[in-house]
Amino acid sequence: MEKIVSLCKRRGFIFQSSEIYGGLNGLWDYGPLGVELKRNLKNYWWRVMVHERDDVVGLDGSILMNRAVWKASGHEDTFSDPMVDCRSCKARLRADQLIDKGKGRQCPNCGGKDLTDPRAFNLMFKTYVGATEDESSVTYLRPETAQAIFVQFKNVLEVSRKKLPFGIAQIGKAFRNEINPRNFTFRSREFEQMELEYFCRAEEGMKLLEYWKEERLKFYENIGIARDKLHLLTVPDEERAFYSKGTYDIEYDFPFGRQELEGVAYRTDYDLSQHQKASGKSLEYFDEETKQKFIPHVVEPSAGVDRTVLALICEAYSEDQAPDEKGKMETRLVLRFHPRIAPIKCAVFPLLKNKEQLVAKAKEIVDLLRPQMFVFYDESGAIGRRYRRQDEIGTPFGLTVDFETLGEKDASLRDTVTLRERDSMKQERVAIKDLANILVSRIA
Ligand code: GAP
């Protein structure tokens, strides 16, 4: 994990937030490459969950909402973790992080046994809306995006004219004042979620839970996460929310252990019922065929953007052996991102930077490809070094403009370039006019 954290900083994927002031625990900034990776992930999620379906529409809700939302959803009273203080080293700990080697509970930091009893610590960040800071102006930064979907259910239903089953999708920030943020970005205090609330009839709930579990597993495979690193945990009855009739956790084998990426939960009609009761506004669905009114049930696949980005980086990280400029084998660091997720899709290199015609041709290719994908131009250093720099950040394709491109050696090779594939390092000769089509089909 140390190698991954260091690469993330060195190559501009992830930085500590407020680093020059000593940072702030549990908060992270995404650098130039991290932001591209994150954006590609979110765009792909949106594509398969919204654009490629007839039964899902989107929403972008506000982060601050009326406090009544959090009372009705149960978050104000119960969204807490049991917290314990170690009186010896003064650490604040989540009760489930204590170690127990058969001789009673111990602090994981100092081994001390002088611990307070667990007490509930609410994870929501409290804030005040407006100029007065009193009870009447209290609200919270949202700890999940889902509640905006529930409280806008009726509005979205009316404008979209969807029939059950249908879903509302949202990607956005969520905030939790985690007692112990840890494992790099895995448990952060500010993070993003990609959530779908898929509304249905009660009798469809269990079947749709199975359907969405399968869809979501496919999603992870389609972004390049190996199936054998993904695991499905059926959350046992005693650990499920009381209103849930079934929950799966999709887990990934991180270097620090097997951990949750996403929860897929059948939440019954709990959320809409709570908001209907608390607001006094009907959140019922009218079935035109049966002329019945009822509160829909919901199945919720809820994924973490940051956790998935971290899994993508862990999955992509690899070291292999490759020849250097002189043919001597050296260790090559490669991020083997799936091309659709890779931050930069293609790097373009003129063989020599002091050869005007090569540079001009390479820049022409950059202009040709730019409308279709994120392209990077690099003319500095030996070509082998330039390939290595791109391997290290996971760029799947490299294009070299050489003297053959200019037709100097063989007229039949005029306006062709070398296309190099990152993982196999294989090179092929491709006509410039075919480049856009070839690359677009490989990164789709
Ligand atoms: N609406 C349901 C919900 O929020 P959750 O299991 O608490 O369920 C869903 O969160 C996902 O959000 C998790 O599977 C995880 O990927 C992500 N997540 C939750 N807490 C997180 C944290 N502190 N840091 C990073 N991601 C987090």
Side-chain angles (χ1 to χ4, degrees):
M1 205 50 212
E2 268 167 37
K3 281 184 176 179
I4 288 171
V5 175
S6 132
L7 175 78
C8 281
K9 173 159 187 200
R10 185 161 47 83
R11 297 311 310 265
F13 283 92
I14 302 171
F15 307 123
Q16 193 182 19
S17 160
S18 332
E19 192 187 87
I20 61 167
Y21 289 102
L24 191 56
N25 202 6
L27 295 152
W28 303 94
D29 293 339
Y30 288 78
L33 293 176
V35 71
E36 297 296 333
L37 181 60
K38 207 177 182 195
R39 196 173 279 254
N40 291 342
L41 169 67
K42 291 189 283 184
N43 287 348
Y44 185 64
W45 186 92
W46 198 261
R47 179 176 131 190
V48 299
M49 300 295 271
V50 184
H51 289 178
E52 290 181 358
R53 305 184 61 104
D54 290 325
D55 57 351
V56 177
V57 292
L59 181 78
D60 186 12
S62 63
I63 285 170
L64 297 176
M65 290 192 278
N66 192 312
R67 181 184 187 175
V69 171
W70 306 112
K71 289 187 186 210
S73 66
H75 284 83
E76 193 171 87
D77 288 337
T78 60
F79 193 64
S80 53
D81 275 344
M83 182 174 74
V84 166
D85 285 334
C86 171
R87 292 195 186 93
S88 311
C89 71
K90 310 287 176 228
R92 293 237 127 132
L93 306 158
R94 264 178 32 186
D96 63 0
Q97 289 167 352
L98 297 177
I99 45 175
D100 192 343
K101 293 181 185 154
K103 293 183 201 152
R105 300 173 319 148
Q106 281 180 283
C107 169
N109 292 344
C110 70
K113 290 187 177 168
D114 190 5
L115 304 165
T116 62
D117 286 333
R119 61 198 185 284
F121 173 76
N122 194 300
L123 299 179
M124 287 197 295
F125 282 100
K126 200 180 215 177
T127 188
Y128 300 91
V129 176
T132 40
E133 291 195 6
D134 60 22
E135 269 301 290
S136 68
S137 61
V138 165
T139 194
Y140 306 93
L141 302 191
R142 67 180 179 199
E144 62 172 14
T145 65
Q147 295 304 320
I149 297 180
F150 296 128
V151 301
Q152 291 295 359
F153 167 74
K154 215 45 191 277
N155 278 335
V156 177
L157 177 66
E158 271 167 25
V159 297
S160 65
R161 295 169 39 239
K162 292 284 174 208
K163 304 262 179 288
L164 287 183
F166 79 96
I168 305 177
Q170 178 168 215
I171 300 178
K173 289 272 188 181
F175 303 81
R176 296 183 191 177
N177 198 2
E178 298 285 354
I179 298 167
N180 260 324
R182 60 186 179 154
N183 290 330
F184 197 23
T185 55
F186 179 83
R187 192 176 301 286
S188 304
R189 289 183 164 136
E190 175 177 338
F191 54 95
E192 272 183 280
Q193 291 184 316
M194 305 181 281
E195 297 200 296
L196 169 71
E197 304 303 324
Y198 196 75
F199 300 98
C200 61
R201 294 176 173 79
E203 57 275 23
E204 299 166 312
M206 289 310 281
K207 210 172 75 204
L208 284 167
L209 175 66
E210 297 304 310
Y211 168 80
W212 279 110
K213 174 250 292 176
E214 292 301 326
E215 286 297 296
R216 298 303 305 147
L217 283 168
K218 260 189 259 163
F219 174 88
Y220 290 104
E221 287 184 74
N222 287 341
I223 56 173
I225 297 193
R227 184 62 185 85
D228 62 355
K229 295 263 201 69
L230 293 167
H231 303 276
L232 197 65
L233 174 84
T234 305
V235 179
D237 291 355
E238 62 281 10
E239 286 175 30
R240 270 198 327 257
F242 69 90
Y243 49 79
S244 169
K245 279 204 177 155
T247 300
Y248 291 112
D249 282 350
I250 298 177
E251 299 180 321
Y252 173 72
D253 285 328
F254 284 96
F256 44 82
R258 188 173 294 178
Q259 296 282 352
E260 177 187 331
L261 281 180
E262 164 159 359
V264 185
Y266 174 24
R267 297 173 70 122
T268 65
D269 59 355
Y270 174 78
D271 303 274
L272 289 181
S273 300
Q274 286 294 104
H275 289 303
Q276 171 164 296
K277 217 184 314 158
S279 67
K281 303 276 166 27
S282 166
L283 295 178
E284 286 175 320
Y285 176 85
F286 177 66
D287 189 324
E288 279 161 18
E289 278 171 31
T290 61
K291 308 291 177 213
Q292 279 178 325
K293 267 184 168 181
F294 57 93
I295 294 185
H297 281 224
V298 72
V299 175
E300 175 199 66
S302 170
V305 174
D306 308 72
R307 283 188 189 179
T308 309
V309 165
L310 186 57
L312 286 169
I313 296 173
C314 294
E315 184 73 10
Y317 188 96
S318 77
E319 289 175 14
D320 63 12
Q321 293 294 309
D324 68 8
E325 297 286 283
K326 293 182 185 118
K328 199 170 136 247
M329 294 308 266
E330 62 174 6
T331 300
R332 177 177 80 131
L333 204 169
V334 200
L335 288 185
R336 296 179 190 271
F337 289 127
H338 189 292
R340 68 163 55 107
I341 291 301
I344 296 170
K345 306 300 181 194
C346 179
V348 182
F349 314 119
L351 187 63
L352 300 171
K353 72 171 174 193
N354 52 9
K355 202 71 185 149
E356 219 177 279
Q357 284 166 294
L358 292 178
V359 168
K361 203 64 174 172
K363 289 190 173 165
E364 234 177 71
I365 295 174
V366 169
D367 291 341
L368 176 84
L369 296 178
R370 242 176 208 161
Q372 324 237 30
M373 67 196 72
F374 189 31
V375 181
F376 182 77
Y377 173 80
D378 186 8
E379 59 177 29
S380 66
I383 196 77
R385 288 283 119 214
R386 282 184 260 168
Y387 282 144
R388 288 289 185 280
R389 284 202 293 264
Q390 294 305 313
D391 291 343
E392 211 182 62
I393 58 171
T395 306
F397 304 106
L399 297 175
T400 304
V401 174
D402 52 23
F403 292 103
E404 267 134 5
T405 313
L406 306 179
E408 286 188 5
K409 290 186 184 159
D410 176 349
S412 70
L413 293 178
R414 182 185 293 279
D415 284 332
T416 64
V417 290
T418 303
L419 169 60
R420 175 200 185 254
E421 201 271 328
R422 176 198 64 206
D423 297 347
S424 63
M425 293 185 280
K426 282 203 181 114
Q427 304 197 356
E428 58 187 309
R429 204 75 204 172
V430 174
I432 294 174
K433 65 174 175 38
D434 298 333
L435 271 177
N437 280 345
I438 292 176
L439 292 176
V440 165
S441 70
R442 293 186 193 177
I443 60 182

